[in-house]
Amino acid sequence: MDRSRQRGTGEESIYRIPPFYYIHVLDQNSNVTKVEIGPKTFIRQDNERVIYGPEKMITVPPRHYCIVENPAVRGQDNDIVIDKSGQVKLAHADQEIRLAQEPFPLYPGEVLKQTVTALKVVTANTALRLRAILDFEDQSGDKKVAGDEWLFEGPGTYIPKKEVVVDETIRATIIRPNQAIMLRARKETLDRDGTPRVTGEEWLVRKVGAYLPGAYEEVVDVVDAYVLTDKKAIHLRATRTFKDDNGKLRRNGEEWLVKVEDAETYIPNVYEEVVGVVPITTLTNRQYCVIIDPVGTDGKPQLGQKKLVKGEKSFFLQPGEKLEKGTQNVYVLGEDEGVILRANEAFKDHGVDRKPGDRWMIRGPAEYVPSVEVDVVTKRKAIPLDENEGIYVRDTKSGKVRAVTGETYMLTQDEELWAKELPPAIETLLQSHKDPLADRSDRSGGPSSSKSREKTKVVTFRVPHNAAVQIYDYKEKKARVVYGPELVMLGPDEQFTQLSLSGGKPKRPNVIKSLVLLLGPDFCTDIITIETADHARLQLQLSYNWHFEVKDKDDKQEAAKLFSVPDFVGDACKAIASRVRGAVASVQFDDFHKNSAKIIRASVFGMDEKQKVRDRFIFPQNNLIITSIDIQSVEPVDQRTRDALQKSVQLAIEITTNSQEATARHEAERLEQEAKGRLERQKILDEAEAERARKELLELQANSAAVESTGQAKAEAQSRAEAQRIEGEAAVQQAKLKAEAARIEAESELERLSRAREAETKYVREQNTLEISKAKEMSEIEVGKFKNMVDAIGSETIRSIAVSGPEMQVKLLKSLGLKSTLITDGSSPINLFNTAHGLIGGSALPAPKVDSDEE
């Protein structure tokens, strides 16, 4: 109850209470509060005080309610009960729900707990979950205990009660086709089919439509059906022991398949767990598969066993089954193909006893499907080999390795490809793909191939022309030398002999790495430092021509000599440098500077019996022959010697240069004098030619002046005559054009007037035609209108209208008893003689005529 108006009105003496209003009045003597209801004028006594109001009565319209706390107690005749002190008796801590009724006041102590509120309308497919908070008995006589729950289902209007509270609004769940809802019992109850359910029990409702859960039911989930096809099944597992929809007992943990033959759509039960959707396994006539742990005829998996299934076939994998390697293709073997098999267990293979671990090969052409007792180790294909190609093959039983070349070969079941390893340095040389002859001066690494060598193929190497390669067989402990051009193919136990030669200038060891020994002829360059007898140190750059002398390539000893010296370049350069240093050490600088070539060649090649320089220097260890020496440069090492030598050379060059300059200067002066003479002569010739040209110019100028003087007068006369002729022709042409213009204007004006008259005449004619047609049509319309009116009214009706006035007057006069009457306005004269004729003998007339004028 609102007490905001208790203060501020208690001092007034007279209260005018409107209709449907009330006030609370406190008697301060008895301390009793009473209610005064309008319409009424209340006069407050001194011992009274208005503590509330005037306040409007509470009006509850239809389909509304309110809740009053501490309601007044009413008797059997619905009257308010008053206690002995005169106070309204209240039901404290109680509530009363009042529905639509006459407006009522709140008695002292009553509290409006809930204002006027519309009754809750429960629509179809919805319900209110109600819960009793007090024990009571409903209208049908059922006793409700506090805590009981039930539903108020729509459609309907819920009328609240003080013993009941609304917990929630429940909406129906729509069950579509191929759907179901899973329900759980919150308490022991009966479902809508009358089946008893215990607390926590779950079940499915599959009936299509709207389903409203009961008071003790809750919707756990909406379950969609699985659509089963010929290519899809579902794998189920039982979560507890139960009987399925077909009445079959399913034990806890049991797994099974549901196919399209069982049902087109399947909704799993509450005790069924969907493990997954199983697609169909389809095998063509070129496929097969091996099933592990297949299901037997009794429906139980045969653990540890295998089953071979060949196409053409379609099937579903049963629970517990799995494919060993998926769907596999049948081995189709050509003439050059085969498969190697290994037995896993003892069995008979086409009459042949196979033991576990046995290996054998099946060659094509054939089709082969391995049985469950056999594993396919690998598939082999024949390797086609050219004459210059080969592979390394190792026997897995004996371990022997051999090279197979020049044929198409297929490995047997006891053979495998063997990878030949080479030292890294030799691998690098083979991968560099450098030409040993053309790229012999290239010291870079060369372009290495990104593709690695196939180690199972026979190592081949092309030996170039006039070269040799040494190959050593570690098994036979023998070496062989191959001369080019030739293709070398290494055996399983053979290796190349690598050469490490000196290179650079001056020579440094292990610069050149090669597999090939070039036999020459070739050259090498070296830089050596020598010292003369007078201690002048010089740096020489020498170039040697060399070659190997091989008399008989079939002689193995001669061939072995070629590779007896590992670094023949360094050995030869050191030997030659030693001889040159020894010879130069006993010679003065000036002598060496003048006879350097002779001294060096003599020191290297030596002198024969006739004191002549020999033409070769032979190394007998490897048959290396030096044929010539070229001195490319001689440079002093000491700076002072170098400066003195440079100064003398510059002085010689300067003398030669000065001599050449003097000769050139004399020659230039001579040529200059000759040119001046030719120039003067040409100048004289040019002046004579210019005078002749000037004479011709003057003659031409005189002729031009004469022609100009006579031609000007003639041209003026001709121009005047031409101008007059042109003016006359222009005047004649202008007159013609004006006459033509006037004629055209007159014709155009005449044409314009003619067309204007024709247009005006045509307009008037068409306008007259339109007016005639309009008048004709209007007359026809009026005639038709009048005819229609006459036809509509009728000829009898028109006649009746025409005679109705006179007839009425006659009847009126007859009713008055008058034989004749004359009505005048008093201003117009009347001829009584003529009038008398009407009066006398009027009774003889059949129908007197009455004239009436209205004023």
Side-chain angles (χ1 to χ4, degrees), residues 71 108 296 466 476 581 594 604 660 677 691 729 745 775 784 802 815:
N466 202 21
E476 301 292 337
R581 289 191 190 97
K594 296 177 181 178
V604 175
Q660 292 177 354
E691 289 297 331
E729 291 179 355
E745 287 180 357
S815 63

Side-chain angles (χ1 to χ4, degrees), residues 515-554:
L515 301 178
V516 177
L517 177 65
L518 299 178
L519 301 180
D522 206 345
F523 70 94
C524 65
T525 303
D526 192 14
I527 297 175
I528 62 175
T529 303
I530 61 173
E531 187 175 356
T532 61
D534 52 357
H535 303 290
R537 299 187 65 198
L538 303 175
Q539 187 177 29
L540 304 180
Q541 182 170 338
L542 306 177
S543 180
Y544 320 122
N545 288 342
W546 58 267
H547 70 275
F548 287 95
E549 186 176 26
V550 181
K551 297 179 181 179
D552 186 6
K553 292 185 178 181
D554 296 332

Side-chain angles (χ1 to χ4, degrees), residues 237-245 248-252 256 266 269 271-272:
R237 180 190 296 125
T239 58
R240 56 171 288 181
T241 302
F242 73 103
K243 286 187 177 181
D244 60 11
D245 297 337
K248 188 175 181 180
L249 181 64
R250 301 290 185 183
R251 300 191 177 276
N252 189 6
W256 67 97
Y266 188 79
N269 205 325
Y271 302 119
E272 295 174 351

Side-chain angles (χ1 to χ4, degrees), residues 590-645:
D590 292 338
D591 295 339
F592 178 75
H593 187 64
K594 296 177 181 178
N595 305 309
S596 59
K598 184 177 180 181
I599 293 172
I600 291 174
R601 288 176 60 83
S603 63
V604 175
F605 295 119
M607 309 294 288
D608 57 4
E609 294 81 3
K610 297 180 181 181
Q611 295 301 315
K612 290 184 178 181
V613 180
R614 293 189 178 93
D615 58 354
R616 57 171 50 188
F617 176 35
I618 301 175
F619 291 89
Q621 297 88 351
N622 56 353
N623 293 335
L624 177 64
I625 299 176
I626 307 297
T627 57
S628 66
I629 298 177
D630 180 21
I631 304 171
Q632 295 180 345
S633 65
V634 179
E635 294 182 1
V637 177
D638 188 13
Q639 185 64 33
R640 289 178 299 173
T641 307
R642 182 181 300 173
D643 293 341
L645 181 61

Side-chain angles (χ1 to χ4, degrees), residues 320-337:
E321 294 181 345
K322 57 183 178 179
L323 298 180
E324 186 176 23
K325 294 181 181 178
T327 302
Q328 305 178 59
N329 294 324
V330 175
Y331 289 91
V332 179
L333 306 177
E335 293 181 357
D336 58 344
E337 292 178 329

Side-chain angles (χ1 to χ4, degrees), residues 72-84:
V73 179
R74 296 180 182 272
Q76 294 180 354
D77 54 356
N78 203 22
D79 293 335
I80 300 298
V81 178
I82 305 298
D83 59 6
K84 59 183 179 180

Side-chain angles (χ1 to χ4, degrees), residues 32-45:
V32 173
T33 303
K34 63 181 180 178
V35 177
E36 297 292 341
I37 300 174
K40 184 178 182 181
T41 299
F42 176 72
I43 300 175
R44 182 179 63 83
Q45 302 297 325

Side-chain angles (χ1 to χ4, degrees), residues 364-400:
E367 291 184 1
Y368 181 72
V369 178
S371 60
V372 295
E373 299 89 355
V374 174
D375 281 344
V376 177
V377 179
T378 184
K379 185 177 180 181
R380 292 281 172 83
K381 188 173 183 180
I383 304 172
L385 301 173
D386 192 21
E387 293 181 357
N388 297 330
E389 294 179 334
I391 56 174
Y392 297 110
V393 179
R394 180 172 66 180
D395 193 328
T396 56
K397 289 185 176 181
S398 62
K400 292 182 179 181

